[in-house]
């Protein structure tokens, strides 16, 4: 089902279930802590349905998680088609490995950081930005599920030092992520100089059968290495990147140091 059809279905079901419950938009909004104008905007499509709204709708209309389920499905499909194979591998992975010299990896991005990244394409419509942000945040749920993957990420120090108002919040979030026992973040310090990770971001996922899947991002799209030999090379590159990064405790200390320089959140 196309993304537009899915969102149309969610809005139609919201209107239908609200009507069946005998509530107008004002009464529903009062119970859900939204204004009647917000409810109208969601139902007519001028405002996207987000997860808090879907959850409140499920609670008030007693729909058994219908709207949250529909929204999560739509968010997964909001990813570009070329990204879907990696998104599937990421959800199924037992182990995940990332190297990123330019940005905080998507699994660790805050909503504000993700939104700023999506807006770097200055002609992208705001509705599309919000859909992409929601899809990115939906990916992060693998980190808190009952059996999460082990995640090891290598990030360049320069990523932490972007002089931007959103970075204090983002760095605080990174530190919270490091408190999860299955998440390990390693920072490549500026003193490392040139290193192989600067050649570009990469991601690797090990599936339940032991197979590794790779993913490479470009400015236009992502691609998956199609042979075992190429995936093996990516694993070697990842090991090199990890080799020049700081140990976990020193990485956390560096994140805290940089966070303190960004001022209050």
């Amino acid at each position: 089902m196309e993304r537009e059809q899915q969102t149309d279905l969610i809005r139609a079901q919201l209107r239908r279930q609200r009507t069946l419950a005998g509530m107008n938009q004002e009464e529903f909004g009062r119970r859900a802590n939204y204004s009647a104008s917000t409810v109208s905007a969601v139902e007519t499509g001028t405002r996207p349905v987000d997860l808090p709204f879907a959850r409140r709708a499920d609670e008030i209309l007693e729909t058994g998680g219908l709207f949250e389920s529909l929204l999560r499905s739509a968010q997964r499909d909001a990813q570009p088609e070329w990204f879907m194979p990696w998104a599937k591998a990421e959800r199924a992975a037992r182990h995940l490995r990332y190297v990123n010299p330019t940005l905080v990896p998507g699994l660790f991005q805050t909503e504000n950081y993700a939104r700023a990244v999506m807006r770097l394409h200055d002609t992208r419509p705001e509705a599309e930005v919000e859909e992409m942000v929601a899809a990115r945040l939906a990916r992060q749920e693998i980190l808190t599920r009952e059996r999460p993957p082990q995640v090891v990420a290598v990030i360049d120090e320069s990523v932490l030092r972007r002089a931007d108002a959103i970075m204090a919040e983002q760095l605080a979030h990174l530190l919270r992520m490091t408190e999860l026992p299955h998440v390990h973040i390693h920072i490549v310090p500026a003193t490392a100089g040139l290193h192989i990770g600067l050649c570009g971001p990469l991601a690797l996922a090990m599936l339940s059968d032991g197979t590794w899947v790779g993913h490479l991002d470009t400015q236009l799209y992502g691609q998956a290495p199609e042979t075992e030999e190429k995936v093996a090379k990516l694993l070697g590159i990842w090991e090199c990147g990890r080799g020049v990064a700081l140990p976990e405790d020193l990485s956390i200390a560096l994140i805290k140091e940089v966070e303190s320089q960004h001022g209050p959140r």
Side-chain angles (χ1 to χ4, degrees):
M1 184 182 295
E2 294 293 332
R3 186 192 318 170
E4 292 79 6
Q5 292 176 310
Q6 289 179 311
T7 53
D8 285 347
L9 173 62
I10 294 172
R11 290 195 295 269
Q13 285 297 320
L14 278 168
R15 289 191 296 269
R16 180 174 183 273
Q17 294 298 327
R18 176 180 57 74
T19 302
L20 287 174
M23 283 183 261
N24 58 27
Q25 291 178 339
E26 184 175 358
E27 182 179 358
F28 176 83
R30 185 171 61 253
R31 294 191 185 188
N33 295 321
Y34 289 99
S35 66
S37 61
T38 297
V39 176
S40 175
V42 169
E43 292 187 357
T44 58
T46 57
R47 170 181 167 146
V49 185
D50 58 20
L51 195 54
F53 191 100
R55 284 173 172 165
R56 288 296 291 149
D58 281 326
E59 291 172 10
I60 294 165
L61 300 174
E62 299 180 354
T63 48
L66 170 67
F67 294 115
E68 181 174 352
S69 177
L70 288 173
L71 181 60
R72 291 188 187 281
S73 176
Q75 288 173 341
R76 285 194 295 270
D77 291 346
Q79 302 284 1
E81 187 173 343
W82 54 260
F83 190 77
M84 297 304 287
W86 172 251
K88 182 179 179 181
E90 196 176 57
R91 290 196 300 272
R94 294 175 59 186
H95 298 274
L96 289 166
R97 302 288 184 264
Y98 298 93
V99 172
N100 205 313
T102 55
L103 294 169
V104 173
L107 281 188
F108 303 140
Q109 291 180 6
T110 64
E111 180 176 347
N112 287 329
Y113 188 98
R115 185 173 290 111
V117 171
M118 299 308 177
R119 285 175 176 163
L120 292 175
H121 293 271
D122 57 6
T123 59
R124 182 173 282 155
E126 191 63 19
E128 183 179 339
V129 167
E130 292 304 320
E131 286 182 346
M132 295 179 73
V133 169
R136 178 154 297 183
L137 297 179
R139 286 171 53 202
Q140 299 173 3
E141 291 163 10
I142 65 170
L143 298 176
T144 54
R145 69 191 183 193
E146 184 176 356
R147 292 184 178 273
Q150 181 202 62
V151 184
V152 185
V154 175
I155 306 172
D156 195 82
E157 181 180 348
S158 63
V159 174
L160 311 180
R161 295 190 178 277
R162 306 297 182 197
D164 195 293
I166 62 173
M167 280 309 298
E169 175 191 48
Q170 177 61 69
L171 292 171
H173 182 67
L174 270 184
L175 290 171
R176 287 192 294 273
M177 292 296 96
T178 64
E179 295 173 0
L180 297 175
H182 52 282
V183 171
H184 309 276
I185 297 176
H186 298 271
I187 306 300
V188 179
T191 54
L194 291 175
H195 60 89
I196 196 166
L198 295 174
C199 294
L202 65 86
L204 290 153
M206 193 191 82
L207 307 182
S208 58
D209 63 358
T211 301
W212 283 94
V213 176
H215 179 79
L216 296 168
D217 274 328
T218 72
Q219 286 280 358
L220 296 179
Y221 54 84
Q223 58 184 7
E226 66 274 12
T227 66
E228 290 184 9
E229 180 182 4
K230 290 181 178 179
V231 173
K233 286 183 178 180
L234 282 188
L235 280 166
I237 292 170
W238 185 86
E239 290 290 350
C240 289
R242 171 65 188 87
V244 297
L246 295 171
E248 197 166 5
D249 58 339
L250 295 181
S251 295
I252 292 172
L254 180 54
I255 296 171
K256 289 180 178 178
E257 176 191 334
V258 178
E259 182 199 23
S260 69
Q261 297 168 4
H262 278 279
R265 292 183 295 281

